[in-house]
Amino acid sequence: MHDSSPASSKSPSQRPPAGAKPGARDGVDVTSELDRVVGQIRESFAAGRRVMSFQEYLELFAKDPRRLGRDASRYVRDMFEFYGTTSVDRPWGKQTRYALFDLPFADPATRRERLVGQEEVQEEIFRILSNFGREGRPNKLILLHGPNGSSKSTIAACMMRALEHYSTQEDGRLYRFHWVFPSAKTIKSRIGFSEEENQARFAKDASYAHLDEELIDAKLVSEVRDHPLFLLPVDARRELLERTLAAAGATEPPPEWLLRGRLSHKSQQVFEALLASYRGDLREVLRHVLVERFFVSRRYRVGAVTIGPQMSVDAGERQITADRSLAALPTSLQAITLFEAFGELIDAHGGILEYSDLLKRPLDAYKYLQLSVETGEVALQHQNVQLNSVLIGSANEVHLHALREHPEWASFRGRLELLRTPYLRSWVDEQAIYEAQIAAQVRRHVAPHATFVAALFAVLTRMRRASDAKFPADRPGLGALAAGLSALEKADLYAKGTIPERLESEQAKLLRASIRLVYEESHGYPIYEGRVGASPREIKTVLLDAAQSQRFACLSPLAVLDELDELCTRTTEYEWLQQDTLPGGYHDTKSFREACRARLLDLWEDELRAASGLVEERSYAELFERYVRHVSMWVKGEKIRNSITGEYEEADARLMGQIEKMLQGRGDASDFRRGVLSAIAAWSIDHPGERVENERVFPQHLRKLREATFVERKRAIADISKSLITLVDEDGKGLEPTALRTAKEVLGRLEKVGYCRHCARAAAATLLRQRLS
């Protein structure tokens, strides 16, 4: 008979080879792959000790009581230390950066959401967590306050992501317990009323924690995630903690939450009912305890929860004994009323609870926190739930100012740790945000300096003119010096430590030694530097709009400038566009855009010069380094060895004079030389044992050398620019062979540093119009 089934209708090439396992296709045995994954998970589950009895947990706790006995504040503090720190060198000094904010454990896409900058806030959070640990519990709410878009939510999100990952590590193990009740098939009579022969099948110390599911009638989950040691009386628990911590060599006392904590209402009711049924036999009660490892999860709201400005208290309770699914509970438990707590405060137990825009709520909606943070408990109708979470809130300055004016501000203030979170004031950091979150995601090619122009403009809008009255008397002249800085000079000072060229050597030395004082000058003001200005959110929109410009084939810095022009017309929408212009160009958005355009032309000019190959970039640095060597010997009155003849000669006055003419024009050469050496000495003090990096210490001097070297070659560079435009527009038609070859070489060098044909052409054309004509 002819078989017309689908299997037989396949051609020989479609049929699986003889002996192939089911599920194999195109050489991949999916069944074996599934078996492998199943085996890995089973082994991981067993190795991780995901489920254990109370006795097994107690033995585990005794081996590592410090780690397994942490409350939320110590757990989060240890998480900070687990990922380590790095030292960040800023113009205003070294700062500690906590690696968790770089999301080193995340995939590349998620890593783009890392926290940029804000090391001061990171250090303060760690300090507060350490204080919580010393005091025994988190007794204050950490309130991050600052302008909209200043990374307050990013800080909390990074901490929660790190918490998720940390809970999967051996160092970050977390445990909770549930109640397990075996079925009638397992124990023939009800719990608490069984006869000895009915329990003979179990050893005296056996636990129900490892019973198969079919042998279990009911399981009661502890939604509050009580610590398993709460099952022991307080006095016995204290003695156990003291002994195990002493044996482990721990120096930090146990947290108050673990010393004095008690079971939640539901678990306490179950515990007392079982204890009564077993006539005081605690061991029999503990047989019903299943200890389980759990993991922090933002998605499933376990130990990491964010709540918005809702109107209700963030916890509640409901009766569960009326639920038919719990009809299998022992008779001794069915006679009592069980309530379980729920809500964000409960979900976040053991981890972090973030109150996003906390102060947008009416005062009565978060007034309960005042007492709850102080006492460590939140009051519900039938129970008080112990708090074991690090509470972090965010607020903008407008709402915080309104709270300060409220009659109850003084009582609230004592329960808050206020952390100012301003906008970034370094365009280097600001650019890193846009490189990670915008440049990596737009579909167009991103031209060099597009994100730089946006970052520089954003930071300029945030600069605040210094008050000369805020500086210490032991540094005379510093106040006037700081107040005289322009907005652009201040932005460069914060970003690169660049000292204005116009300053005399002593002024430059004073400013270089006082950058931290300038940086912190406005900390005591309500309108501090970094409070007012363009938000990163607004600048991201500028970049995204620029990426859609029809005038350019890529995300061009010229398109960014166009979008900034448009943004600055919306004066009724943004506070930073309504500021009065001050001396030094502060709040002058028109001059900011002009400064961005001029800085862009400088960068293009430098790169085109370097790409032209007329003079190698390293020659400037070598020339300046040679100058520094001769100046050093001149100041010391020593001779310098001639590398060619081997003879020792006087410092070359002709060389020094030529360089100084290019760098300072007229002026006292002696003061200039001593200023150079003072700058080197200051660098050496701040960077002991490190080689002096002239590119960082003297960027303006090297730039002047480049400019002076190329003055005579301006015509040649203009010709190269014209040839480059012809190459892109007309494929080089009409160019002489030498000019065509040079244009191709220049374009190739520009492409190596991130240009495409279109943005290279735009740079050359703009320079021709505005600099090289």
Side-chain angles (χ1 to χ4, degrees), residues 399-618:
H399 292 105
L400 180 59
H401 176 73
L403 180 61
R404 291 179 192 271
E405 299 297 318
H406 196 278
E408 296 192 40
W409 161 247
S411 58
F412 269 103
R413 181 63 185 88
R415 303 269 63 92
L416 298 175
E417 282 282 2
L418 297 177
L419 288 188
R420 179 178 291 170
T421 313
Y423 289 135
L424 298 178
R425 289 177 280 166
S426 164
W427 52 256
V428 173
D429 289 341
E430 189 77 10
Q431 185 179 7
I433 295 176
Y434 307 137
E435 287 289 334
Q437 298 183 14
I438 300 297
Q441 297 182 40
V442 298
R443 295 184 178 180
R444 281 185 170 186
H445 171 257
V446 179
H449 316 309
T451 55
F452 162 73
V453 168
L456 178 59
F457 176 83
V459 168
L460 286 172
T461 66
R462 304 166 188 168
M463 293 294 99
R464 181 186 185 281
R465 187 168 183 261
S467 170
D468 58 4
K470 291 288 290 184
F471 293 92
D474 61 351
R475 299 203 182 187
L478 177 59
L481 193 59
L485 292 173
S486 70
L488 183 60
E489 288 172 341
K490 208 174 189 188
D492 286 339
L493 184 70
Y494 291 162
K496 297 282 191 177
T498 303
I499 305 299
E501 300 173 17
R502 60 181 175 79
L503 299 182
E504 300 293 336
S505 60
E506 288 302 314
Q507 291 178 315
K509 181 179 179 181
L510 175 61
L511 182 58
R512 186 177 291 107
S514 308
I515 295 178
R516 177 176 286 278
L517 292 175
V518 177
Y519 186 77
E520 296 177 348
E521 176 265 338
S522 70
H523 281 11
Y525 293 116
I527 308 297
Y528 51 85
E529 192 169 64
R531 173 175 172 174
V532 178
S535 164
R537 297 172 185 170
E538 295 150 11
I539 301 301
K540 288 176 191 176
T541 301
V542 164
L543 287 166
L544 291 172
D545 288 343
Q548 302 179 60
S549 173
Q550 299 301 311
R551 294 182 54 215
F552 303 95
C554 55
L555 174 48
S556 167
L558 296 174
V560 175
L561 287 168
D562 289 345
E563 293 297 331
L564 289 175
D565 288 341
E566 193 280 329
L567 176 66
C568 290
T569 63
R570 296 150 65 181
T571 55
T572 60
E573 298 181 34
Y574 302 111
E575 180 186 4
W576 56 273
L577 288 173
Q578 301 166 13
Q579 305 292 305
D580 294 332
T581 301
L582 297 177
Y586 291 91
H587 316 309
D588 187 348
T589 58
K590 182 179 179 181
S591 71
F592 294 163
R593 284 170 280 151
E594 292 171 353
C596 290
R597 188 177 296 274
R599 191 63 62 85
L600 174 63
L601 292 174
D602 290 342
L603 292 168
W604 276 346
E605 193 171 352
D606 287 345
E607 289 168 347
L608 190 58
R609 287 170 178 172
S612 70
L614 296 177
V615 176
E616 291 188 7
E617 183 72 16
R618 64 185 181 186

Side-chain angles (χ1 to χ4, degrees), residues 283-462:
R283 189 179 297 276
E284 287 295 328
V285 174
L286 296 178
R287 294 174 72 179
H288 292 272
V289 174
L290 180 153
V291 179
E292 173 188 63
R293 182 176 178 180
F294 71 94
F295 304 93
V296 174
S297 171
R298 291 186 303 152
R299 170 169 292 183
Y300 301 111
R301 299 166 65 87
V302 178
V305 179
T306 299
I307 55 177
Q310 60 198 40
M311 304 290 289
S312 60
V313 176
D314 306 303
E317 58 187 353
R318 53 179 169 250
Q319 185 176 347
I320 64 169
T321 40
D323 191 333
R324 291 184 180 180
S325 64
L326 298 175
L329 284 175
T331 305
S332 56
L333 293 178
Q334 292 179 0
I336 62 176
T337 302
L338 298 179
F339 292 89
E340 68 177 8
F342 65 92
E344 288 82 357
L345 280 169
I346 309 304
D347 296 337
H349 197 81
I352 294 174
L353 176 59
E354 178 198 5
Y355 291 90
S356 181
D357 288 322
L358 172 66
L359 302 186
K360 285 185 179 179
R361 300 176 168 197
L363 182 64
D364 289 341
Y366 59 86
K367 198 172 182 180
Y368 75 93
L369 285 173
Q370 185 178 352
L371 182 62
S372 295
V373 173
E374 182 176 355
T375 62
E377 296 181 341
V378 59
L380 302 180
Q381 185 175 357
H382 295 91
Q383 60 182 306
N384 284 355
V385 176
Q386 291 173 291
L387 292 180
N388 179 35
S389 302
V390 174
L391 307 182
I392 298 180
S394 62
N396 62 42
E397 296 293 354
V398 174
H399 292 105
L400 180 59
H401 176 73
L403 180 61
R404 291 179 192 271
E405 299 297 318
H406 196 278
E408 296 192 40
W409 161 247
S411 58
F412 269 103
R413 181 63 185 88
R415 303 269 63 92
L416 298 175
E417 282 282 2
L418 297 177
L419 288 188
R420 179 178 291 170
T421 313
Y423 289 135
L424 298 178
R425 289 177 280 166
S426 164
W427 52 256
V428 173
D429 289 341
E430 189 77 10
Q431 185 179 7
I433 295 176
Y434 307 137
E435 287 289 334
Q437 298 183 14
I438 300 297
Q441 297 182 40
V442 298
R443 295 184 178 180
R444 281 185 170 186
H445 171 257
V446 179
H449 316 309
T451 55
F452 162 73
V453 168
L456 178 59
F457 176 83
V459 168
L460 286 172
T461 66
R462 304 166 188 168

Side-chain angles (χ1 to χ4, degrees), residues 640-649:
I640 188 169
R641 184 175 182 274
N642 188 312
S643 59
I644 298 176
T645 64
E647 300 291 330
Y648 283 88
E649 304 171 347

